[in-house]
Amino acid sequence: MSQILSPELFLVIAAILWGGTFVVIKLALDSVPPFLFLAFRFWVAGIITLFLYRKTLFKKENRRWDYIFPAFLVALSALLGYLFQTVGLVYTTATQAGFITGAYVVFVPILQILVEKKLPSLRTWVAVFIVVFGLFLISQNNRSSFDFKSSFVFGWGEFLTLVGAFCFAVYIILIDIYSKKIPVQVLVSFEILLIAMVSTLLFPIESLFVSKEINIQFDTKFFFGIFYTSVFATIFTTQIQTRYQKAVPAARAGLLYSLEPVFSFMLAYLVLNERLGFYGACGCALALFGILLSEVGKWNKKEN
């Protein structure tokens, strides 16, 4: 059983760590603007990555021209996802951002059909519907009554976060394709360093993208945010994703990653003292049930 659970368990750990980023980044953005935060985050992660992989990256067999374009596509999809998500957090709440980012659970099966010509099972589609509805209820946690006309406000921050969610769905599909063909070290290093360089270049023109007044304050929230997001939510999770997602179908991996906003809400409860209301509790239960539904069929099939 442990051998069967191992890849999925690592993906859930990644979802837990990613869930923490919504609260951590939201706090850090009180101190620094989005692109500056991204630049620091990924330069720190990039330097650590180069140190960890210094013996592997410069081996002759890893310096292949045919690795460049696929690695660039993987890195570009991740870059756009992080950019839209981080800027979106300036204009929306951590809970709303967590829910909308979880929408990539819908995009992944659709993209899988278009790109990989793979049709997800009916069980996966049912699980997708349950998880998405659960995530929607989580976003309505603070409401005492439910009103479809006013229950969900879709503003600029929500739109940017949704675009980021689509980019992350593309990233999941590309990882599913290329992590089986290209060494993990190459994909991880290229991705992190590209995001660092582009974020640095965009910082001088940040005022064109962010209408809020730009304040820079290197305080505890900033340093903790950089440490958490660069080490745990970037290096560690990217290695998990590139190493273990290849053993899990892309649609199922998307469902496992959709636990991210659930853990984000739990962390917000612990750190920011946010309460879990009726809708939030129901949403968490539905999201977990959807994940379990998608996994039970696979376990039974492997064990019989």
Side-chain angles (χ1 to χ4, degrees):
M1 177 64 75
S2 61
Q3 187 176 3
I4 297 175
L5 291 175
S6 181
E8 288 81 4
L9 177 61
F10 278 105
L11 298 190
V12 170
I13 291 173
I16 294 173
L17 294 173
W18 281 328
T21 61
F22 291 100
V23 174
V24 172
I25 295 176
K26 185 68 176 178
L27 291 172
L29 291 180
D30 291 336
S31 304
V32 295
F35 292 136
L36 181 61
F37 178 83
L38 282 174
F40 271 100
R41 170 184 177 177
F42 286 98
W43 276 122
V44 171
I47 292 170
I48 296 174
T49 299
L50 289 177
F51 176 77
L52 292 175
Y53 298 153
R54 63 189 185 282
K55 294 182 179 179
T56 305
L57 289 176
F58 300 103
K59 286 184 177 179
K60 185 177 180 180
E61 59 267 26
N62 290 331
R63 287 181 285 148
R64 294 176 49 177
W65 288 105
D66 57 334
Y67 285 170
I68 294 178
F69 184 67
F72 174 78
L73 291 179
V74 171
L76 180 62
S77 61
L79 165 66
L80 294 175
Y82 284 117
L83 286 178
F84 283 114
Q85 182 190 73
T86 304
V87 177
L89 271 167
V90 174
Y91 304 101
T92 189
T93 64
T95 302
Q96 285 287 80
F99 159 66
I100 297 169
T101 299
Y104 60 63
V105 73
V106 179
F107 295 135
V108 168
I110 297 173
L111 290 173
Q112 196 173 23
I113 296 173
L114 297 175
V115 177
E116 299 187 70
K117 311 301 182 183
K118 294 180 181 178
L119 185 64
S121 66
L122 177 61
R123 181 188 297 272
T124 297
W125 285 111
V126 173
V128 165
F129 175 79
I130 293 173
V131 169
V132 170
F133 186 65
L135 296 176
F136 174 75
L137 290 180
I138 291 173
S139 74
Q140 308 303 305
N141 177 70
N142 293 325
R143 293 185 175 272
S144 57
S145 60
F146 197 80
D147 180 5
F148 275 105
K149 294 182 179 180
S150 61
S151 61
F152 188 72
V153 178
F154 201 81
W156 179 238
E158 288 75 24
F159 172 74
L160 292 174
T161 308
L162 184 64
V163 175
F166 178 80
C167 295
F168 283 131
V170 174
Y171 176 69
I172 290 173
I173 294 295
L174 293 177
I175 284 289
D176 187 56
I177 296 172
Y178 294 123
S179 63
K180 302 168 185 175
K181 305 174 182 178
I182 300 175
V184 172
Q185 294 86 346
V186 175
L187 283 176
V188 170
S189 302
F190 200 96
E191 171 189 331
I192 291 175
L193 291 173
L194 178 67
I195 296 174
M197 288 186 287
V198 173
S199 299
T200 303
L201 293 173
L202 288 176
F203 170 62
I205 57 172
E206 185 146 17
S207 59
L208 299 177
F209 298 91
V210 180
S211 60
K212 286 184 63 176
E213 182 180 352
I214 295 179
N215 295 313
I216 299 177
Q217 208 170 4
F218 297 119
D219 54 13
T220 303
K221 291 186 292 186
F222 166 75
F223 286 113
F224 178 76
I226 294 299
F227 175 76
Y228 180 89
T229 56
S230 61
V231 176
F232 293 107
T234 301
I235 295 176
F236 189 52
T237 55
T238 304
Q239 290 191 66
I240 286 177
Q241 194 171 24
T242 50
R243 285 181 185 273
Y244 295 102
Q245 189 185 304
K246 67 183 73 175
V248 181
R252 185 175 288 117
L255 282 168
L256 291 172
Y257 294 148
S258 68
L259 283 172
E260 177 181 338
V262 177
F263 294 120
S264 175
F265 187 88
M266 291 178 179
L267 184 63
Y269 170 78
L270 294 173
V271 176
L272 305 177
N273 200 31
E274 292 186 5
R275 300 296 177 182
L276 187 64
F278 175 74
Y279 294 120
C282 291
C284 285
L286 282 175
L288 292 171
F289 175 72
I291 300 298
L292 182 62
L293 178 65
S294 72
E295 293 298 299
V296 166
K298 183 199 65 170
W299 293 340
N300 290 339
K301 183 177 179 181
K302 285 194 175 185
E303 291 176 344
N304 287 338

